Amino acid sequence: MSGSAGVTGALVLAAGKGTRMKSDLPKVLLPILDQPVLYYALRALEKLAVEGAVHDTAVVVGHRGELARDYLAAEWPGVIPIWQHEQLGTGHAVQIAREWWEGFDHLFVLPGDVPMLTGATLARLAEDHKKEGADCSFISFEAANPHGYGRVVHSGGGVSIVEEKDATEEERLLSEVNSGVYIFKVSSLLPHIYRLSSENAQGEFYLPDIIKMMGREGMSVRAVAEGREDEFRGINTPAQLAEAVALIKQNIVEGMLAGGVRMADPSSVWIGPGVAIEQDVHLEPFVQIWGSTSIGAGSRIGPFSVLRNMTIGRGVDVASHAVLSDSALGEGAKAGPFIVVRDGAEFAPHSYGGKFVEVKKSEIGKRSKVPHLAYIGDSTLGEDVNIGAGTITCNFDGVNKNRTVIGDRCFIGSDTMLVAPVVLGSDAATAAGSTVTQDVPEGALAVGRARQRNIEGWSGRRKKTGSGEGGRNDG
Ligand code: UD1
Ligand code: CA
């Protein structure tokens, strides 16, 4: 903890229904790219936590709060949910969380619906606030369209915030608005937070009312004009959500371009906020990259490919229409076109999964190839294995998933059915069209198919008898 700077908590307000969104889901759980609205505020705070500027984070949940609680438990286990069963306003949300924050020196309060807010801006706000020894500092900004925001009113040397619904016509013309992002000295917040009243147009306890109250008592309240307007946009309506998606998408893509990622058509490329891409990577049009995917330098991702939670090494070539998830492609590997890779598959360096191939939960050894039309599931392939077209690992017996193990340098003939569990020693081979149900020793050839017979003169006889079926008159 950072001694003199004081212990700082961050309270994210996310209990509201988001009536204007007209959705059954709580507003903060609606997606922006592949993450919920709430993710973005928490990520900004996480950056501060790493720098030691925030020591604890809680989220006030309420409307369908079990969904927000479950999301936090799954994705942000260090973040504490605090229940506000009745949503009586932003001031009320801070009141009900008192037990959690009263032990801190400073408290950030921010809305859960301001996804473009950055950690850097929060850090500057906290720094200014502490340096000036302020009782409350909040971020205000000039809005091109102030509609819906609380207006910041400067009069008689004091500051107050008037909500849109309570504002006079004159006040509505003001363009300086409240971002909803505050930092309080806890000892100054405590005596005021229960003095808010709900006598206003919405019958709610407004947190911004505290600004005027503190100012009146001669406390130091700072309206800090900071950052770009975009950064503080609230997400209240479907149109604002769509705008935020477009802006965040563009920010991410521009950040990638600046980092040396090339795109022929950046507007068609979608990249989630958790993705990391090294320089010299080429993304073809209509690529989508989601989750915690990382891509190493010099790789190429072909058009219409969709990647999620992938670890892609350096110099990897993914052709078009690859659907890759929760798996890894090692350095110099190649995949696609039209390949599905999923559920923890691992391609070793310089291995290859080709056209119309599905690979699930399997390891493909170095330089091994699965070039065409194959299903490889629950399998381990050694190095330099070659899998013929049409090969299937029959991994499911109706009850259990069983493993197939294929040793180094095995050559699997086309259209082999490998009925798991089955083990092939190194340098083994299978004859094309074999159904392999028993283990194959090292170096052996497995032939598991009916021996071919040729029936001489068959087609001539068929013409005479008029029989359509070859199997009938062959005795
Ligand atoms: C709020 C501010 C406004 C500011 C704007 C910035 C108030 C009264 N107004 O307005 O001055 O310009 O943010 O975006 O604070 N919430 C709760 N519990 C509640 C009510 C709300 O947790 O009882 C949460 C909401 O889920 C939301 C956040 O607080 O994430 C802000 O509430 P919202 O209703 O969106 O406030 P605004 O009208 O946007
Ligand atoms: Ca809002």
Side-chain angles (χ1 to χ4, degrees), residues 34 36 43 104 107 121 139 146 175 257 268 305 373 422 448:
D34 64 339
R43 192 182 56 157
F104 299 128
L107 180 69
T121 296
I139 297 178
S175 57
L257 290 167
S268 73
S305 289
L373 295 161
V422 68

Side-chain angles (χ1 to χ4, degrees), residues 160-181:
S160 58
I161 297 171
V162 183
E163 291 308 301
E164 165 120 354
K165 287 184 179 146
D166 300 284
T168 62
E169 239 165 83
E170 220 172 296
E171 285 166 338
R172 282 187 197 183
L173 296 175
L174 297 171
S175 57
E176 183 181 352
V177 300
N178 171 26
S179 69
V181 178

Side-chain angles (χ1 to χ4, degrees), residues 250-263 266 271 275-283 295-299 314:
Q250 194 186 339
N251 286 346
I252 293 172
V253 165
E254 282 173 2
M256 293 288 172
L257 290 167
V261 177
R262 292 186 300 278
M263 301 171 215
I271 303 174
V275 171
I277 308 183
E278 290 183 0
Q279 64 180 41
D280 254 320
V281 167
H282 190 92
L283 306 178
I295 303 179
S299 293
R314 298 186 162 200

